[in-house]
């Protein structure tokens, strides 16, 4: 099956996932997490990738980011991938690939899904049973977005900035969003969109993405079923 071309629409955020090969561990120590974030921060700044939310799990990474140009995401992910694999292989005396093929990414309807996707990303450690609340996990953007922890990696999106007039108001409003859990239907929608490289949004948004990118952004509608004769 031919690979679909990568998405890019100027000023439109994307949800990015990269997993360890065979779901193997890619972060074993705190130093691993710190070094990955260092690599990510330097590459994102160099490539023009504005990161709004992230989480580093034991065997995969989630990012929500807006690229400034078409090479912002691939350039960042390639740079981080090469540098971190060299570090990881050296530290653990291993060889070969670390990542499960290409990263996965999908365009996000920022008007309706950006804050939802941020919650999805930062709630990963809670859903995995690693912590009871997102603030208890140190390797995500929740500290910056919800608690005011300084994190130079995070660039607030305009939808986040619209939550309040001051930083304190925005953090409070953001924390309140986490009082309601994301339903199973929303979780499935986000996962399927990202894993299948479809756009995440309503039908109007998906149609707009197809017009802007020249590629499909949703599953093809099923054709009309053939009428079955009632004659025996």
């Amino acid at each position: 099956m031919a690979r679909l071309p990568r998405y890019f629409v100027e000023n439109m955020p994307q949800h990015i996932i990269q997993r360890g090969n065979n779901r193997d561990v890619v972060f074993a120590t705190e130093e691993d997490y710190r070094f990955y974030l260092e690599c990510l921060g330097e590459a994102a700044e160099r490539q023009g990738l504005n990161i709004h939310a992230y989480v580093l799990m034991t065997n995969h990474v989630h990012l929500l980011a807006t690229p400034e140009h078409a090479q912002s995401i691939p350039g960042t992910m390639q740079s981080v991938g090469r540098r971190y694999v060299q570090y990881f292989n050296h530290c653990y005396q291993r060889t070969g690939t670390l990542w499960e093929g290409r990263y996965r990414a999908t365009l996000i309807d920022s008007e309706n899904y950006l804050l939802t996707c941020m919650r999805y990303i930062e709630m990963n450690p809670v859903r995995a049973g690693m912590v009871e609340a997102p603030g208890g996990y140190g390797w995500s953007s929740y500290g910056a977005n919800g608690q005011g922890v300084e994190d130079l990696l995070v660039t607030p999106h305009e939808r986040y900035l619209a939550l309040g007039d001051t930083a304190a108001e925005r953090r409070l409003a953001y924390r309140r969003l986490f009082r309601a859990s994301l339903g199973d239907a929303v979780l499935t929608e986000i996962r399927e969109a990202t894993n299948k490289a479809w756009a995440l949004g309503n039908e109007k948004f998906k149609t707009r993405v197809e017009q802007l990118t020249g590629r499909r952004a949703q599953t093809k509608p099923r054709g009309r079923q053939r009428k079955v004769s009632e004659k025996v």
Side-chain angles (χ1 to χ4, degrees):
M1 185 180 200
R3 289 177 173 178
L4 291 171
R6 291 293 193 188
Y7 282 122
F8 172 73
V9 177
E10 188 176 2
N11 297 320
M12 192 173 287
Q14 297 194 33
H15 177 206
I16 305 157
I17 301 178
Q18 188 161 39
R19 299 187 182 279
N21 193 36
N22 297 319
R23 306 291 177 99
D24 287 343
V25 168
V26 294
F27 303 111
T29 67
E30 290 191 359
E31 182 57 33
D32 296 344
Y33 290 98
R34 282 193 289 267
F35 186 71
Y36 183 93
L37 291 177
E38 177 186 322
C39 295
L40 179 60
E42 293 177 0
E45 182 177 6
R46 187 168 59 249
Q47 297 292 337
L49 184 66
N50 298 307
I51 298 172
H52 315 303
Y54 69 86
V55 67
L56 309 187
M57 301 295 285
T58 306
N59 61 6
H60 67 282
V61 174
H62 287 266
L63 305 175
L64 180 62
T66 300
E68 294 179 3
H69 53 79
Q71 288 303 309
S72 293
I73 293 177
T76 297
M77 300 306 289
Q78 289 167 11
S79 174
V80 174
R82 287 193 298 266
R83 188 177 171 192
Y84 186 75
V85 169
Q86 291 175 354
Y87 156 85
F88 194 86
N89 285 352
H90 174 74
C91 286
Y92 299 102
Q93 298 182 356
R94 64 184 299 280
T95 59
T97 185
L98 180 64
W99 305 109
E100 182 185 70
R102 302 201 309 170
Y103 64 86
R104 299 176 184 271
T106 188
L107 290 169
I108 302 292
D109 177 1
S110 59
E111 186 67 24
N112 298 303
Y113 280 86
L114 186 120
L115 295 174
T116 298
C117 193
M118 290 177 67
R119 291 163 58 204
Y120 171 82
I121 289 171
E122 294 172 355
M123 283 293 288
N124 259 265
V126 178
R127 288 194 298 273
M130 301 170 73
V131 292
E132 293 185 359
Y137 192 73
W139 308 109
S140 87
S141 53
Y142 183 83
N145 292 322
Q147 299 173 318
V149 176
E150 183 180 19
D151 189 337
L152 298 179
L153 189 60
V154 176
T155 299
H157 189 273
E158 61 183 18
R159 288 289 294 162
Y160 175 85
L161 294 175
L163 290 174
D165 294 330
T166 67
E169 289 179 356
R170 290 190 286 270
R171 292 194 296 269
L172 178 60
Y174 188 69
R175 291 195 299 271
R176 285 174 174 165
L177 295 175
F178 285 75
R179 294 177 181 176
S181 61
L182 296 173
D184 290 340
V186 174
L187 295 175
T188 298
E189 186 177 11
I190 293 173
R191 288 165 180 162
E192 287 191 349
T194 307
N195 289 330
K196 296 179 180 180
W198 302 133
L200 180 62
N202 58 27
E203 294 304 314
K204 181 179 179 181
F205 174 77
K206 292 174 183 177
T207 299
R208 177 174 171 241
V209 167
E210 291 178 340
Q211 293 171 343
L212 291 171
T213 63
R215 56 152 287 188
R216 283 191 293 118
Q218 56 190 315
T219 305
K220 287 183 177 180
R222 292 183 179 180
R224 294 180 59 186
Q225 293 184 344
R226 296 166 59 187
K227 187 174 181 180
V228 178
S229 174
E230 295 179 355
K231 296 181 179 180
V232 179

